[in-house]
Amino acid sequence: MCPKTSKTTPVLLIGGIVFVIVLVAITGITLINNINLSNIIRLNEKVASDSVSANDNQIKELNYVNNHPKNLHINIKQQQQQHQQHQQSQLNETHDDDSAGDARSMEQIRKEMSSLRLQLEPKVLAVIGPNDASEKTQPTRRILNNTLSTQLPLDVSNDDNGKNDLIDYEKRAQIVKMMEHAWHNYKLYAWGKNELRPLSQRPHSGSIFGSYDLGATIVDGLDTLYIMGLEKEYKEGRDWIERKFSLDNISAELSVFETNIRFVGGMLTLYAFTGDPLYKEKAQHIADKLLPAFQTPTGIPYALVNTKTGMAKNYGWASGGSSILSEFGTLHLEFAYLSDITGNPLYRERVQTIRQVLKEIEKPKGLYPNFLNPKTGKWGQLHMSLGALGDSYYEYLLKAWLQSGQTDEEARDMYDEAMLAIMDNMVRTSPNGLTYVSDLKFDRLEHKMDHLACFSGGLFALGAATRQNEHTDKYMEVGKGITNTCHESYVRTPTQLGPEAFRFSDAAEARALRSQEKYYILRPETFESYFVLWRLTHDQKYRDWGWEAVQALEKHCRTAHGYCGLRNVYQQEPQKDDVQQSFFLAETLKYLYLLFSDDSVLPLDEWVFNTEAHPLPIKGANIYYRQAPVPLPASNAS
């Protein structure tokens, strides 16, 4: 028989083990919480310091609480809405009281607002710095003061009828899932390469960036991941850029235009979002590699540059060695912003030279031909287009004005003059009432519109919304009309996706007639106009049209390993092209996500989108502009 004490031994042993496990768990949780708190404090300090200095250490983690572009505005708006609701409640309760009662309610509200300010102000100062009185912080301080003023108007109708709270969570979540599918398959089969071939499950080496490991999809898609809050994926991309991205040993002829809008633009947006100096350094590194292309007699850059040797040239097919309007005219936003955040005026000087050439040159009927010789400064063939070869030049005229805080009047004047000439000479209405903008060749309208030109619906509308003048109503009319026509080009196909180009004739309207015009390569331009028109009008049809497109993309373009374009949108079961374009992640999915998001996510009065959908901050209206500090003059004191 065993001793009696032996029966209690297992109980004591088990109890001891449980106690140790609980103790270890408590200790671990405490340690983790302390580490997390330490990280949050450290990141808050980092955000504040990075906004005034480019020499600090790199940010290694995201701070989605204080550093996400949308959160400051959402936080302030929520506080404002809560305050307005409280005010309305107070008014209802005191409606029948005497004036003394009203006075007491107002005094109580003022006290509560003062308390609210004490709570919110440290969060704002954590971003902009308590002692930073520079120009770039003034908009934030103005927001804070206006929002938390003890003399706020009590009219709750100022909430814009809830327009800023219109989030379609279900549809937006679907866009996030699409982004995850595209990204995860790129990571699995083409990580570090430029683009993915989903059907082949291998990298796409035939892109404009060739087979070099430039990570075009990573750089192009990273800000979309950030906006969507996909933190893990974002950190993977940032880590690759830090460890791998460089143009130092790339002996390839890269497109100055494409490298600028995707790589420079992508890095600049990420710098604006995060303040991480890594992105500013990479943006400057890339831009410096492009500068040899500007060494021409006129300052109009060549189209291609070898980033290792500095040799530059134009495409052989481009009208007698000409540069292309949409390419050399689509550098201003990125280069001007790069000058401001680095303090180096060189980049702005380069694009300002281009501006002056185009301002002073004689323009036939006020129009800009698509080709300009960089040696002679003379126009090439008299082909004009708001689609391929011309498109984004006009976009950058308007957006340079917006980016400057509407101080670059030269850009706005050139935009208005160009768009009026285009409306007079190239915008037409079909017999059945469809508005379109035709290509013009040697004074002959082709009655053909590129899918690329579908962005112009949003461009005209944005021009209307940002300045009230005698052209405003016409701009908006044309913008809505073009956007409707582009939607028609989609819904008139069996796939519900639009062709690369479509024509207007006695035989057809908004329909591709030639086989080489019937493909769709995941382009974003139509969705861009849906997004802009939605933000400006809140007409539900733009969201409905966007959702139609999402369903079409899922039905026809989705594969088990990513998304592909289609070779013929007019076939019931179209063949896929086996390419997941980097702009599908950078533009198409971003615009669709924003279409179903709150207006406070990247508001149009604080951000302009470059032609690759990379948002850049507006000077004087956005705390994320992060302009380099201006050195103080030397003191005369001894």
Side-chain angles (χ1 to χ4, degrees):
M1 180 179 289
C2 295
K4 184 177 181 181
T5 54
S6 67
K7 296 179 179 178
T8 62
T9 301
V11 175
L12 293 173
L13 181 60
I14 294 171
I17 293 172
V18 171
F19 175 76
V20 171
I21 292 172
V22 171
L23 182 62
V24 170
I26 293 173
T27 304
I29 291 171
T30 304
L31 179 61
I32 290 171
N33 286 339
N34 287 337
I35 292 173
N36 287 340
L37 179 60
S38 174
N39 284 339
I40 290 172
I41 293 172
R42 179 166 58 83
L43 282 171
N44 284 343
E45 293 172 349
K46 186 66 179 171
V47 171
S49 63
D50 279 341
S51 66
V52 296
S53 173
N55 298 319
D56 293 334
N57 294 328
Q58 295 174 348
I59 299 172
K60 298 299 183 184
E61 297 90 3
L62 271 177
N63 179 358
Y64 276 92
V65 176
N66 289 328
N67 199 34
H68 199 288
K70 67 185 181 183
N71 285 345
L72 178 64
H73 307 287
I74 290 176
N75 188 22
I76 289 176
K77 181 161 183 62
Q78 287 173 344
Q79 299 281 9
Q80 184 180 19
Q81 289 172 340
Q82 292 171 5
H83 168 62
Q84 289 173 331
Q85 291 170 0
H86 178 76
Q87 287 179 313
Q88 187 63 36
S89 176
Q90 290 289 334
L91 285 176
N92 291 338
E93 291 175 4
T94 60
H95 181 69
D96 296 325
D97 290 351
D98 57 20
S99 60
D102 289 340
R104 285 195 299 273
S105 293
M106 287 302 298
E107 185 61 29
Q108 180 181 0
I109 290 171
R110 289 190 181 96
K111 289 179 180 179
E112 291 171 354
M113 289 304 297
S114 296
S115 175
L116 183 59
R117 183 187 185 93
L118 291 175
Q119 296 174 37
L120 186 55
E121 190 164 22
K123 299 178 182 179
V124 177
L125 295 181
V127 177
I128 66 175
N131 300 315
D132 187 355
S134 64
E135 180 185 38
K136 68 178 182 300
T137 68
Q138 295 309 308
T140 303
R141 296 183 184 278
R142 208 160 47 240
I143 292 170
L144 182 69
N145 291 333
N146 290 341
T147 304
L148 300 182
S149 169
T150 58
Q151 298 179 2
L152 279 172
L154 300 179
D155 183 4
V156 295
S157 66
N158 288 336
D159 193 33
D160 205 20
N161 296 319
K163 289 179 180 178
N164 284 334
D165 302 312
L166 295 174
I167 305 174
D168 194 321
Y169 291 97
E170 182 179 356
K171 292 181 174 61
R172 193 172 70 169
Q174 176 61 37
I175 312 300
V176 175
K177 290 178 182 177
M178 295 169 70
M179 183 68 183
E180 290 175 318
H181 183 64
W183 178 267
H184 291 162
N185 279 283
Y186 166 77
K187 179 185 174 184
L188 185 61
Y189 299 111
W191 186 247
K193 302 295 183 179
N194 291 314
E195 291 171 331
L196 167 68
R197 295 177 70 91
L199 300 181
S200 306
Q201 290 129 63
R202 59 187 176 89
H204 176 46
S205 60
S207 75
I208 56 170
F209 297 108
S211 59
Y212 285 94
D213 294 356
L214 300 180
T217 294
I218 298 175
V219 180
D220 224 6
L222 206 55
D223 63 341
T224 305
L225 294 171
Y226 190 93
I227 293 165
M228 292 181 176
L230 295 172
E231 183 174 1
K232 175 178 176 291
E233 292 81 356
Y234 165 80
K235 288 180 177 178
E236 292 170 345
R238 185 207 177 278
D239 181 63
W240 184 88
I241 290 173
E242 182 178 35
R243 292 186 299 105
K244 298 289 188 180
F245 182 82
S246 174
L247 295 182
D248 284 336
N249 297 311
I250 304 298
S251 184
E253 293 176 345
L254 296 183
S255 163
V256 173
F257 163 72
E258 296 287 358
T259 304
N260 175 64
I261 66 172
R262 302 193 198 204
F263 287 87
V264 179
M267 297 293 187
L268 291 175
T269 291
L270 291 164
Y271 176 68
F273 281 1
T274 68
D276 187 340
L278 168 72
Y279 298 122
K280 178 168 67 172
E281 293 163 6
K282 295 296 186 183
Q284 190 167 15
H285 163 72
I286 301 163
D288 287 345
K289 295 291 187 181
L290 302 180
L291 288 177
F294 291 78
Q295 300 302 315
T296 67
T298 61
I300 298 295
Y302 290 115
L304 301 168
V305 63
N306 186 307
T307 55
K308 187 173 183 179
T309 67
M311 297 296 293
K313 66 178 185 179
N314 274 334
Y315 295 107
W317 53 263
S319 187
S322 289
S323 298
I324 299 167
L325 178 68
S326 66
E327 297 197 346
F328 67 77
T330 308
L331 303 165
H332 202 105
L333 296 184
E334 296 83 4
F335 274 50
Y337 183 51
L338 186 58
S339 275
D340 281 353
I341 64 174
T342 61
N344 185 346
L346 176 64
Y347 310 106
R348 186 186 295 274
E349 290 170 0
R350 290 291 182 267
V351 293
Q352 194 61 38
T353 296
I354 298 172
R355 167 86 64 80
Q356 291 310 306
V357 170
L358 291 173
K359 180 182 179 182
E360 295 170 7
I361 193 172
E362 183 179 353
K363 291 170 275 292
K365 296 184 178 179
L367 298 168
Y368 292 83
N370 293 334
F371 301 105
L372 184 67
N373 190 300
K375 296 180 179 179
T376 66
K378 303 293 184 181
W379 295 118
Q381 292 174 322
L382 296 183
H383 294 183
M384 292 80 163
S385 176
L386 202 51
L389 308 181
D391 50 8
S392 47
Y393 166 65
Y394 306 99
E395 176 184 4
Y396 272 39
L397 288 177
L398 177 65
K399 291 183 176 179
W401 173 69
L402 293 173
Q403 183 189 44
S404 72
Q406 302 186 11
T407 62
D408 185 357
E409 286 296 333
E410 180 180 68
R412 177 73 203 214
D413 290 344
M414 292 174 70
Y415 165 80
D416 284 326
E417 291 167 2
M419 302 318 280
L420 290 174
I422 286 172
M423 287 194 298
D424 287 343
N425 295 282
M426 296 164 63
V427 173
R428 295 291 182 266
T429 303
S430 75
N432 290 314
L434 295 182
T435 301
Y436 61 98
V437 54
S438 171
D439 286 358
L440 182 67
K441 292 186 177 181
F442 300 108
D443 280 341
R444 183 179 63 84
L445 286 171
E446 286 202 305
H447 300 287
K448 175 184 78 75
M449 181 173 171
D450 290 338
H451 188 289
L452 287 167
C454 286
F455 87 99
S456 64
L459 182 69
F460 275 107
L462 193 60
T466 50
R467 169 164 286 177
Q468 297 296 312
N469 57 25
E470 65 273 24
H471 312 306
T472 298
D473 292 342
K474 184 62 175 177
Y475 281 167
M476 184 60 76
E477 177 188 348
V478 171
K480 289 180 177 179
I482 288 175
T483 304
N484 176 70
T485 299
C486 291
H487 173 251
E488 287 295 320
S489 78
Y490 274 57
V491 298
R492 297 183 185 200
T493 73
T495 59
Q496 302 289 286
L497 292 167
E500 180 69 3
F502 44 93
R503 296 177 180 268
F504 297 83
S505 67
D506 295 337
E509 290 188 349
R511 182 179 175 87
L513 299 179
R514 301 178 182 179
S515 59
Q516 65 268 30
E517 298 171 350
K518 295 181 179 180
Y519 62 88
Y520 172 72
I521 55 172
L522 305 174
R523 287 205 186 277
E525 289 79 17
T526 297
F527 313 143
E528 177 181 355
S529 286
Y530 293 171
F531 160 66
V532 174
L533 266 297
W534 162 256
R535 282 286 178 92
L536 297 180
T537 69
H538 290 102
D539 188 331
Q540 180 61 32
K541 71 181 180 184
Y542 297 113
R543 278 188 162 179
D544 294 341
W545 293 352
W547 187 243
E548 290 173 2
V550 169
Q551 293 173 304
L553 288 168
E554 288 289 80
K555 180 177 180 181
H556 296 289
C557 298
R558 185 186 178 102
T559 74
H561 304 290
Y563 291 84
C564 297
L566 307 177
R567 298 192 185 279
N568 187 340
V569 296
Y570 294 97
Q571 294 177 345
Q572 293 289 345
E573 299 293 334
Q575 181 183 2
K576 296 177 175 62
D577 67 3
D578 198 19
V579 179
Q580 181 175 279
Q581 305 279 351
S582 79
F583 57 69
F584 178 68
L585 290 80
E587 300 185 75
T588 305
L589 294 180
K590 183 185 287 136
Y591 281 130
L592 289 170
Y593 177 85
L594 293 172
L595 178 63
F596 298 108
S597 293
D598 188 282
D599 282 13
S600 65
V601 182
L602 302 174
L604 295 182
D605 57 354
E606 295 180 16
W607 300 89
V608 291
F609 292 79
N610 87 337
T611 200
E612 191 75 4
H614 295 306
L616 298 173
I618 292 176
K619 190 174 185 177
N622 192 322
I623 63 168
Y624 299 100
Y625 198 82
R626 304 185 191 278
Q627 186 163 352
V630 178
L632 295 174
S635 172
N636 294 325
S638 58

